[in-house]
Amino acid sequence: MSHSPTVPRTDGFHLPVFPRSLPVVYHPHAAQTEFRSNAWVRRYLESCCTSQTQLMRLLRQRVGLYGPLVAPLTDRDRVLALADFYHFVGLIDDLAADHTGGLGASPGGARAAFDRITAEFGDPGSATTPFGLAAADLWQRMSPDLSSRQQHRFHQSLAAFLDGIAAELPYQLTGTVPDYPAYIDIRLASFGCDFICLLNEYAAAVDVSDLSRSPELRAVHDHAMRQMILVNDVLSLRKEHGDPMNAVRVLEHHDRLPLQQAVDEVAARAAAHEHRYLQARDAARRQLAHRPDVDAYLRAMDHLLAGAQEFEYLTPRYLGDGAVWDGSTTGWVSPVPADPAAANGLPS
Amino acid sequence: MSHSPTVPRTDGFHLPVFPRSLPVVYHPHAAQTEFRSNAWVRRYLESCCTSQTQLMRLLRQRVGLYGPLVAPLTDRDRVLALADFYHFVGLIDDLAADHTGGLGASPGGARAAFDRITAEFGDPGSATTPFGLAAADLWQRMSPDLSSRQQHRFHQSLAAFLDGIAAELPYQLTGTVPDYPAYIDIRLASFGCDFICLLNEYAAAVDVSDLSRSPELRAVHDHAMRQMILVNDVLSLRKEHGDPMNAVRVLEHHDRLPLQQAVDEVAARAAAHEHRYLQARDAARRQLAHRPDVDAYLRAMDHLLAGAQEFEYLTPRYLGDGAVWDGSTTGWVSPVPADPAAANGLPS
């Protein structure tokens, strides 16, 4: 490589090719679910947004496709509830990412707001805030299909997610980069892994609460969630570059890797977790062969991982506002330009 | 109404509720077909665009959903070919709508360009221009599924469409408003009605060439195509207000109707054509009961009308660049604001 006359570019990185060994399936009602979920956003989340601009940007991110991609085999009511739920947490994530004002400006303010959301999520009758009313609607639609144990986990998992987001804020506000193990711990919460797994049961219409901390499923979850986090870190890097809560930044900082090597290393770790997920999944299937619900749950988990990754390729949340996916899964990625709208040809 | 204390607004119109008596069905691969078609656009149409801005605006219009909406029952290869074809004609339509330069600036220039496209469409080996190469790809994928009679009609219908667009230009360049019968005649060509009907056979995998000018199907087509044109005129009015080639403008000008009354009258005519389409369709089904291919063709035509209308509600082509459909099918519509991007919250 030292013979190459070309100087390596440092203004971005080459997006590595991921193994994608799991089946990408779109729900047969994916397109119309997205539009129906947009209607829910307009009704329930408009007053949670700080501006019409923020609402439209959320809708342009195509978040309504996340549910149809991670739960392609579920029924129409459940896939719509999932689409709405992921719109709900996506907006919370957006608000927390705004460190100049609002939710993301101070850990104390975020914690207070999140405590209110958590209280209202578990007690829909008390909901009065816009987020509380949205949460109450989701709870009322989804909880009848959950066992009381799952309902408890749903409530706890939303609290853990909001705690995780709040725990990220001090790092982001000070630019402090955690080390890799600390990073993974925080991200397992802020990525919403508990509700992701719970909602995978909801999608598969099963209740594996009794096994969710068992050694068999624990190994499955360990690798599945790390695969999801690390794939997300690479595919969101265009938007998140510089954010200390990203494994690429962690390796740049603590392992002194140049950007491209850090990207490649994170992608390699994601691929390794995907491989070990497959092994853990097959082992769990053998060990729990007497449990058809586990089989359905694991099949749904394959689609969860594959679908989340497909979404992360296609979403303007990561491609840049105004961009449209053309199916590319590799290529040169430049960090967010000064004017992302102009770069995507949006009229000014 | 004269007692009302409110002064009627004149800065827009109320979108009337259409009957929508036909079944809206999305192809089960609608979402992924759109992304796959976007890849085709990137490959074949990028060099037909005058700028990256134009390409991105085309992709943001969601035209890749038109095929999956008008042909929800067809197979995956055909629905993708239809999505690509409608991207192709959609771009031609966009280019012709630019009267400040390029294709739409002069009838002579447009005719010359369209003659080249027509020649290359029928003789793919000769294709050299970007539009010719795109046309050649479409021809090579679609023509093997068409009979030689249908192939001839396909070629003729594209020529008729391009002729129709060129015939509109003198009206648009001079602001001359045709009367209603003249308007309908030109629009039957420029709307692409011949290829729309032919591609409905392609979607249904039938060949009804022998009947396409029969009295039975003629009545079906007469009402189906007028319903499509008039619904389109209302749903595209936000974008097209002022364009002389729109039935609303025709009625404003020749019948001296105020905007809202003209809109309501066009919508009423569309509804009447839809009703008469249903009658003509049922009559054709009875009269041609010995022809199962006609039955399949008519079922596909129901979806064609319903799907085209659904597309016209959802497309940012008509909602405005940067807007996202939330399922609304009625409400107040303002003509295009001075800065449509800003109105939709696009970053500047």
Side-chain angles (χ1 to χ4, degrees), chain A residues 26 30 34 62 65 69 310-311 313-316 319 324-328, chain B residues 29-42 59 62 64-65 68 80 83-84 87:
Chain A
Y26 285 70
E34 183 187 2
R62 319 282 314 263
L65 285 178
L69 276 164
E310 178 83 351
F311 176 78
Y313 285 119
L314 73 84
T315 179
L319 288 172
V324 184
W325 192 44
D326 64 7
S328 304
Chain B
H29 293 100
Q32 55 271 61
T33 297
E34 183 187 2
F35 293 124
R36 288 184 68 196
S37 188
N38 290 350
W40 186 85
V41 170
R42 174 74 70 186
L59 290 174
R62 318 284 312 264
L65 285 178
L80 181 60
D84 295 346
H87 260 130

Side-chain angles (χ1 to χ4, degrees), chain A residues 218-228 273 276-277 280:
Chain A
R218 193 171 188 126
V220 168
H221 291 156
D222 279 355
H223 295 298
M225 294 303 112
R226 283 164 180 75
Q227 189 268 11
M228 288 184 79
H273 282 300
R276 292 170 69 192
Y277 160 76

Side-chain angles (χ1 to χ4, degrees), chain B residues 240-254:
Chain B
E240 290 185 357
H241 190 228
D243 187 331
M245 297 312 290
N246 183 301
V248 173
R249 182 84 192 103
V250 169
L251 296 188
E252 283 183 297
H253 184 83
H254 289 283

